[in-house]
Amino acid sequence: MTTTMMMMMMMMMITMMMMMMGMAMANSPNDGLTTCLYEPCDSQAPVPLPPLPYPYDSLEPSIDNQTMTFHHDRHFAGYTKKMNAALEKMAAAMDDSSNSTIEGLMSSLSSLGADPDTSLAFQNNGGGFLNHKMYFATMSPDGQRTPTSDSALEKAIVASFGSFDKFKEEMSTAAKGVFGSGWAFLVLNQDGQLAVVANPNQNSPLMDSLIPLLGIDVWEHAYYLLRGPDRGAYVDAWWDVVDFAPVEQAFEKVAPA
């Protein structure tokens, strides 16, 4: 074999290796950390408060009209307003195209260089915004209560948890077990696997390089008016109004190829 042929073969091997590495990087869940899965997606303040996509009383008896009104119009609106105030102070960080979404800003918050007070304000209120836009978007009075049979999400749930029922049990247990205020999330981790995590306060899984697909709010404002301290009854009733159709759409955007 001539030297020229050997060099050509080496070049071809290097090219193939680079292509394979590029494909692996393109399919990495890490790419999904900046992907907006639920509207609105713009990170330029003022970010609008998303309207509730169904009537306030339409989730009864699982979640009552008054709770939905306060939760959306007061709590979610408050997080949105305070997040926008933080975004105005973080405008320089958004010159980077990778930070064109709230998700991108949240996933890179520790490296943005904002002052500590602004970073904390964005962590709390940007987290509240991200968590709540997902929460309200993934409920519906007549939604899809389980993933579509043989869908990518259904297969991933079975692969990660063994069955939908086991996933449901793990998610419910995590939500009921949160100490104080917080959330339970279905997330996609960096190994391309689904997992359930519980976070305190409004902390977004994006700060831990986890992509949130579904979340249940267990702050008292989500259930106390109707159920008092019975968080467990609220969690059980939430499964009667969850909608997996938008969760499937979200998963398709970030699922490993």
Side-chain angles (χ1 to χ4, degrees):
M1 184 179 297
T2 64
T3 301
T4 301
M5 291 179 64
M6 291 179 64
M7 291 180 64
M8 289 177 63
M9 289 182 65
M10 290 179 63
M11 290 291 291
M12 290 176 62
M13 291 176 64
I14 292 172
T15 300
M16 290 178 64
M17 290 177 64
M18 291 179 67
M19 289 175 63
M20 291 174 66
M21 290 175 62
M23 289 174 63
M25 292 177 65
N27 292 333
S28 170
N30 188 63
D31 299 334
L33 292 174
T34 62
T35 301
C36 174
L37 301 181
Y38 299 101
E39 295 289 337
C41 291
D42 192 6
S43 66
Q44 299 299 313
V47 177
L49 172 70
L52 193 69
Y54 35 79
Y56 291 91
D57 63 354
S58 63
L59 300 186
E60 293 182 338
S62 295
I63 305 176
D64 63 293
N65 186 342
Q66 189 176 26
T67 293
M68 289 297 292
T69 301
F70 284 151
H71 200 170
H72 181 275
D73 294 0
R74 296 286 293 277
H75 294 282
F76 189 13
Y79 290 126
T80 304
K81 180 179 179 180
K82 293 175 183 177
M83 178 191 70
N84 279 320
L87 284 173
E88 291 180 358
K89 297 179 181 179
M90 295 167 59
M94 285 177 281
D95 292 339
D96 185 342
S97 61
S98 67
N99 293 328
S100 61
T101 63
I102 302 298
E103 289 80 358
L105 288 167
M106 186 62 70
S107 65
S108 59
L109 180 60
S110 62
S111 62
L112 290 181
D115 68 82
D117 288 342
T118 300
S119 291
L120 182 60
F122 181 76
Q123 174 182 320
N124 291 337
N125 295 289
F129 173 81
L130 290 171
N131 295 340
H132 281 88
K133 72 169 180 170
M134 174 175 59
Y135 175 75
F136 289 115
T138 54
M139 296 189 294
S140 175
D142 48 11
Q144 183 181 311
R145 305 306 179 214
T146 60
T148 304
S149 180
D150 289 328
S151 65
L153 178 62
E154 196 262 353
K155 291 177 181 177
I157 286 175
V158 171
S160 297
F161 301 98
S163 70
F164 176 78
D165 286 342
K166 290 181 179 179
F167 152 66
K168 182 176 177 179
E169 180 180 2
E170 186 169 337
M171 185 86 163
S172 295
T173 299
K176 295 174 184 179
V178 171
F179 180 78
S181 300
W183 292 72
F185 297 99
L186 172 67
V187 300
L188 180 67
N189 65 29
Q190 291 304 296
D191 294 325
Q193 302 294 315
L194 296 178
V196 167
V197 298
N199 279 5
N201 303 318
Q202 296 293 348
N203 291 358
S204 171
L206 290 165
M207 296 191 300
D208 299 315
S209 299
L210 300 170
I211 302 170
L213 299 167
L214 178 68
I216 176 169
D217 186 352
V218 291
W219 280 63
E220 290 181 349
H221 63 233
Y223 60 89
Y224 225 80
L225 286 175
L226 178 64
R227 304 188 183 277
D230 195 350
R231 179 192 290 179
Y234 155 70
V235 171
D236 292 341
W238 174 78
W239 292 100
D240 294 330
V241 294
V242 69
D243 186 2
F244 277 92
V247 184
E248 289 182 350
Q249 295 170 9
F251 182 66
E252 289 174 358
K253 295 179 182 179
V254 294

